[in-house]
Amino acid sequence: MKVISITLLVPFLIVSASAAVPQSLDGQRAEAEKRNSASAFATATPEKAAATMAKSQPKSDLKSEPVDANESAQKYYRQGLSLAEIGKLDEALVAFKESLKLRPDDVQANLSLGVTLAKKKAFREALESFKVAVRLKRDSAEAHFRLGMASQVLGKRNQAIDEYKRLQELKSPLANKLNEALRNSNLASVADGIGADLSSLTSKPESPLSAAAGPTEPTSTPSPSEKTALTEIYRVGVGDVLDIRFLNSTNNRSTLFTVMAGGFIDVPVAGGAMVVAGLTPDEIQSRISNELKRRAVEKNSAVSVGIRQYVSHSVMVTGLVGNPGIRFLRRESVPLYVVLAEAQLRNDAGRVSILRGTSTEMLELSDPATLNVIVQSGDVITLTGRPQEFYFIGGRINYAGQRPFQAGITLLQAILAAGGTRANENKAEISREGANGLLVTTKFSIKAIKAGTVEDPKLQAGDRIEIIR
């Protein structure tokens, strides 16, 4: 009775074995899936890696452990910095964007994204990143500086000046550097400065500007040689139309290229967008030639660069001219007579005022040196008549009183214009306001003047003449 037949145990053994096999296979399958998941995450792109991370975490963990998201964002940020440092800008952009998906309020990540975009010449997108950084941290001098630089490159000068003023309010030494960029007509160098290392910029800020003044002009007066150089060159700006010819090329393509906002022209054969604002035609020609050689495109093609239409440099002429309005300059600076010849100066014009920034210079057209004064882009030139001026004559004269003053009139001419002396009076006194505001009186002999032994003195506006015995 105690002996159990083997035939009776067989069904039970088969059932137990069949139950154990699935359990063992399930465990192996789970471990394999974990290994595959880890391998896939290690080799995935940042976008796929982030998605894999999210799927591998339970929903409750994603909500209750924000620290993990911050750590992941920081890892992506550090990865972006490393990639940007070795020149892998596209990969760096992906890493920075992944970091910002996890932590969009990270100021430094937004700044780094903007700098990387600027290095890829995507200045408009960079501008938006810098704007976000400024909104997140209003007192960030770096954010205001980079936003100001990007604004200048894109031709948004008013916004760039606003950022300069904000840096002044923050008493940041970066105000100096942004001010230099605002006064720099070479937008290519300004563009390169967007991603500058700011740790070395330790110079002191300049004095604040007035609300309407904009960046200050250089305090030193250009030397005569510098002025001469400015009248001989032209630096291309936004709106100018360039005539670029590939002399040995058989391709029948357009030779006209307009400098677009941001200082670019699009030259497909030389790689597309190219910053030319602030460069002379010779410099642009050299840059295109070098790019063609680098790309091994049309090696034997000679390049010629000229300017078909001048737009970016202009002055405003108003007042006593026959043809008032905007006048476009064909050099960085030109003598005043060049502008007045085109504007057709009227005969009744006697004075010219030149408004530059917040300073106004008043000059007399009767002075020959006035016509050689150098004017530059942005100046406002106003021609006016001379205000009515007088001199006064009295004493022993036939017709005493106030007389209109004309430049060059002499004492003897004034006496004759007043009807001469009453008798044979021989003395005349001219009283004139001195430097201290007090009158200074000088006596003259009328007979000596007539005899030619004494020079006939020229009068000045406001002189008081009295004929005495």
Side-chain angles (χ1 to χ4, degrees):
M1 297 294 294
K2 293 182 180 179
V3 177
I4 300 176
S5 174
I6 189 66
T7 58
L8 296 176
L9 294 176
V10 168
F12 295 101
L13 293 174
I14 293 173
V15 171
S16 300
S18 62
V21 169
Q23 291 178 1
S24 175
L25 291 175
D26 289 343
Q28 294 176 6
R29 190 178 296 111
E31 291 182 2
E33 288 179 354
K34 288 182 180 179
R35 288 194 299 271
N36 292 337
S37 176
S39 176
F41 179 77
T43 59
T45 62
E47 294 91 338
K48 293 181 179 178
T52 304
M53 182 187 294
K55 289 180 180 179
S56 65
Q57 294 289 343
K59 292 185 178 180
S60 59
D61 291 344
L62 291 174
K63 293 180 180 179
S64 60
E65 297 184 7
V67 175
D68 292 343
N70 288 336
E71 289 178 356
S72 297
Q74 187 64 21
K75 288 180 181 178
Y76 280 126
Y77 174 68
R78 288 197 296 266
Q79 180 187 12
L81 292 179
S82 300
L83 290 168
E85 187 174 354
I86 62 176
K88 295 185 176 181
L89 301 182
D90 291 329
E91 293 87 340
L93 287 177
V94 172
F96 287 135
K97 289 177 181 178
E98 287 298 325
S99 178
L100 288 170
K101 285 180 183 178
L102 299 172
R103 192 167 55 187
D105 59 347
D106 189 329
V107 176
Q108 286 305 126
N110 277 287
L111 287 173
S112 298
L113 176 62
V115 168
T116 307
L117 287 166
K119 289 181 179 179
K120 288 182 61 63
K121 310 301 182 186
F123 296 115
R124 294 189 184 279
E125 293 85 347
L127 183 78
E128 296 304 318
S129 294
F130 297 143
K131 284 183 178 179
V132 172
V134 167
R135 285 197 297 269
L136 292 173
K137 191 174 182 182
R138 296 287 181 180
D139 60 347
S140 171
E142 179 184 354
H144 286 289
F145 172 78
R146 299 199 192 281
L147 177 56
M149 295 285 283
S151 300
Q152 175 71 355
V153 170
L154 290 171
K156 301 178 182 291
R157 186 169 177 80
N158 290 337
Q159 183 173 345
I161 292 175
D162 289 341
E163 300 309 315
Y164 171 80
K165 294 174 183 175
R166 181 59 179 149
L167 289 172
Q168 288 282 1
E169 294 172 2
L170 295 173
K171 301 185 184 303
S172 169
L174 296 178
N176 240 2
K177 293 300 178 183
L178 181 54
N179 191 17
E180 291 176 6
L182 292 174
R183 292 187 277 116
N184 188 355
S185 60
N186 188 348
L187 293 184
S189 65
V190 177
D192 293 339
I194 294 178
D197 180 9
L198 304 184
S199 60
S200 61
L201 305 182
T202 56
S203 56
K204 295 182 180 179
E206 298 177 358
S207 58
L209 298 175
S210 62
T216 56
E217 296 295 329
T219 55
S220 59
T221 302
S223 65
S225 60
E226 290 174 335
K227 289 182 179 180
T228 301
L230 291 176
T231 60
E232 295 176 352
I233 64 171
Y234 183 86
R235 298 191 180 279
V236 170
V238 175
D240 290 340
V241 179
L242 306 183
D243 187 356
I244 303 177
R245 299 175 183 268
F246 301 92
L247 303 180
N248 298 332
S249 175
T250 58
N251 195 332
N252 188 24
R253 52 179 166 252
S254 174
T255 64
L256 300 182
F257 298 83
T258 301
V259 182
M260 298 175 288
F264 300 94
I265 58 173
D266 186 12
V267 188
V269 71
M274 177 181 295
V275 178
V276 297
L279 303 179
T280 65
D282 289 342
E283 291 171 339
I284 298 172
Q285 178 176 311
S286 176
R287 177 169 291 191
I288 294 176
S289 297
N290 292 338
E291 189 64 22
L292 292 177
K293 291 178 182 178
R294 188 180 73 83
R295 294 174 175 271
V297 178
E298 300 187 23
K299 296 180 180 180
N300 299 323
S301 178
V303 180
S304 171
V305 178
I307 301 175
R308 176 66 65 87
Q309 188 173 355
Y310 296 84
V311 175
S312 63
H313 294 32
S314 64
V315 297
M316 174 65 73
V317 184
T318 63
L320 301 178
V321 291
N323 191 14
I326 296 175
R327 293 288 169 270
F328 295 104
L329 308 183
R330 299 193 174 195
R331 294 291 183 270
E332 289 297 295
S333 299
V334 299
L336 178 61
Y337 69 81
V338 174
V339 177
L340 295 184
E342 187 177 352
Q344 300 177 11
L345 182 66
R346 283 168 42 176
N347 292 332
D348 54 344
R351 286 184 174 182
V352 57
S353 66
I354 301 176
L355 174 63
R356 182 175 301 163
T358 57
S359 62
T360 302
E361 184 178 11
M362 185 69 71
L363 302 168
E364 298 290 339
L365 289 175
S366 58
D367 184 356
T370 296
L371 296 179
N372 292 316
V373 169
I374 299 298
V375 297
Q376 61 190 37
S377 181
D379 288 352
V380 178
I381 302 169
T382 304
L383 281 301
T384 59
R386 289 183 59 88
Q388 187 65 58
E389 295 175 314
F390 303 93
Y391 66 91
F392 307 87
I393 188 167
R396 300 181 67 82
I397 195 79
N398 286 322
Y399 299 103
Q402 175 181 285
R403 295 284 186 274
F405 173 78
Q406 292 182 339
I409 190 171
T410 65
L411 172 60
L412 190 56
Q413 290 172 337
I415 293 173
L416 294 175
T421 59
R422 291 181 182 175
N424 293 325
E425 310 300 345
N426 185 41
K427 300 292 183 183
E429 292 181 343
I430 299 178
S431 298
R432 182 175 296 166
E433 187 175 328
N436 58 1
L438 302 178
L439 289 178
V440 178
T441 301
T442 306
K443 291 184 179 181
F444 295 90
S445 169
I446 298 175
K447 289 183 179 180
I449 292 174
K450 290 181 179 180
T453 57
V454 175
E455 182 181 359
D456 189 6
K458 290 185 178 180
L459 300 183
Q460 295 181 7
D463 281 354
R464 294 83 161 168
I465 304 170
E466 185 175 4
I467 307 302
I468 60 178
R469 289 183 181 275

